Amino acid sequence: MAKLLTLEKILFSQGFGTRRYCSDLVYADLVSVNGVLAEDPDAKIDPEGIVLTVEGVDWEYHEKAYIAFNKPANYECSHKTRHHPSVYSLLPRPLIERAVQCVGRLDQDTTGLLLLSDDGQFIHRMTTPKKNIGKVYVITTAENVTQKQIDHLLGGVVLDDDPAPCFAKVCTQIGERQLAMTIVEGRYHQVKRMLAAVGNHVAALHRSSIGSYSMPDDLKEGEWRWLYPAELTLLAQSIE
Ligand code: URA
């Protein structure tokens, strides 16, 4: 059975403002549903698969928001930023109103794949240390990479805040000063500290995939896109 919701509730659920404001948007002729101008905020609609147009901007209905974002350098993954603007400043207002949160964080100078969601259970499943989900980082190093360093990363590195070593699950040299490294944990500054511990230094860091989801080739820096059920299934299957 289709779940019917009033248009006002649908707009509210998508982050377009208070219910009163959403209702006013409809009365002001600023909302279309699948291209048809809406007249009644109390009209009951099956929201699955609809496209709203609000103040001229198309918006797919998603009951929960699952977002892939290509993080540029010099943005912080925080609402309360210290030195740089927030990644949230690059997202549209409805996503902010829905309180999407970063699924784990990238450092201010790290670029690449960041997931965001307003689904607390999803965020928990993806970030809990009990679930090992591989994250691939492309690392540009300050010094040439040696085989000894790769062996050390694969064999386990002890960081100063925890006697338990952390391991690279995969570590492949892709250039004189470039590695692709997969890690399953998410400790603070983990990649940078692992590289420092083996006697090298991270000059640039880019996350290219999380589990079996890789950064889409056409997702430019600063851009975001919805994740769809097939991609979410892939992500769920990546959790060991
Ligand atoms: N490891 C780091 O050192 N920094 C990141 O941003 C992510 C992983």
Side-chain angles (χ1 to χ4, degrees):
M1 259 284 278
K3 182 179 63 177
L4 299 182
L5 296 175
T6 64
L7 180 55
E8 175 206 78
K9 255 194 180 168
I10 293 171
L11 289 163
F12 172 71
S13 74
Q14 300 302 286
F16 286 103
T18 61
R19 287 179 64 167
R20 173 67 190 270
Y21 185 78
C22 290
S23 182
D24 287 347
L25 281 171
V26 179
Y27 287 129
D29 289 344
L30 292 171
V31 179
S32 301
V33 179
N34 293 335
V36 179
L37 187 67
E39 291 176 356
D40 179 5
D42 295 321
K44 291 206 161 179
I45 296 172
D46 175 4
E48 264 330 300
I50 63 167
V51 177
L52 300 158
T53 309
V54 181
E55 296 187 82
V57 178
D58 288 348
W59 192 263
E60 289 175 22
Y61 173 86
H62 288 260
E63 186 177 357
K64 291 280 179 198
Y66 305 98
I67 304 294
F69 177 67
N70 187 348
K71 180 190 173 295
N74 301 321
Y75 282 84
E76 294 180 27
C77 292
S78 166
H79 287 286
K80 289 194 182 135
T81 57
R82 290 156 64 101
H83 304 294
H84 298 276
S86 166
V87 290
Y88 297 107
S89 68
L90 297 172
L91 298 175
R93 223 185 107 232
L95 289 180
I96 306 303
E97 289 284 323
R98 288 173 74 162
V100 296
Q101 301 296 325
C102 296
V103 180
R105 290 183 177 197
L106 291 176
D107 295 338
Q108 151 291 114
D109 51 351
T110 302
T111 59
L113 182 61
L114 182 67
L115 304 182
L116 297 111
S117 180
D118 61 356
D119 177 348
Q121 284 184 3
F122 172 78
I123 296 174
H124 179 72
R125 273 202 309 280
M126 295 294 294
T127 52
T128 177
K130 282 185 229 142
K131 310 277 181 181
N132 291 334
I133 181 154
K135 290 158 287 264
V136 181
Y137 290 89
V138 176
I139 307 162
T140 306
T141 55
E143 311 293 337
N144 285 0
V145 175
T146 65
Q147 187 57 46
K148 198 167 159 203
Q149 289 171 356
I150 295 177
D151 292 343
H152 195 167
L153 292 164
L154 288 166
V157 175
V158 176
L159 302 179
D160 49 12
D161 60 347
D162 191 341
C166 48
F167 299 84
K169 192 171 175 190
V170 179
C171 188
T172 313
Q173 184 156 10
I174 51 176
E176 253 183 1
R177 295 187 180 194
Q178 248 189 359
L179 290 171
M181 183 165 94
T182 307
I183 56 171
V184 294
E185 298 156 290
R187 297 199 212 168
Y188 183 64
H189 292 328
Q190 181 169 338
V191 174
K192 290 176 185 165
R193 290 196 297 149
M194 285 176 77
L195 266 291
V198 301
N200 209 320
H201 180 79
V202 172
L205 189 57
H206 176 86
R207 183 156 68 189
S208 57
S209 50
I210 298 176
S212 33
Y213 184 80
S214 295
M215 176 84 84
D217 289 338
D218 58 347
L219 190 62
K220 299 195 184 73
E221 278 200 354
E223 287 185 351
W224 65 277
R225 72 165 45 166
W226 296 108
L227 293 175
Y228 292 94
E231 294 159 331
L232 293 169
T233 305
L234 265 184
L235 273 171
Q237 285 165 353
S238 312
I239 299 174
E240 287 176 11

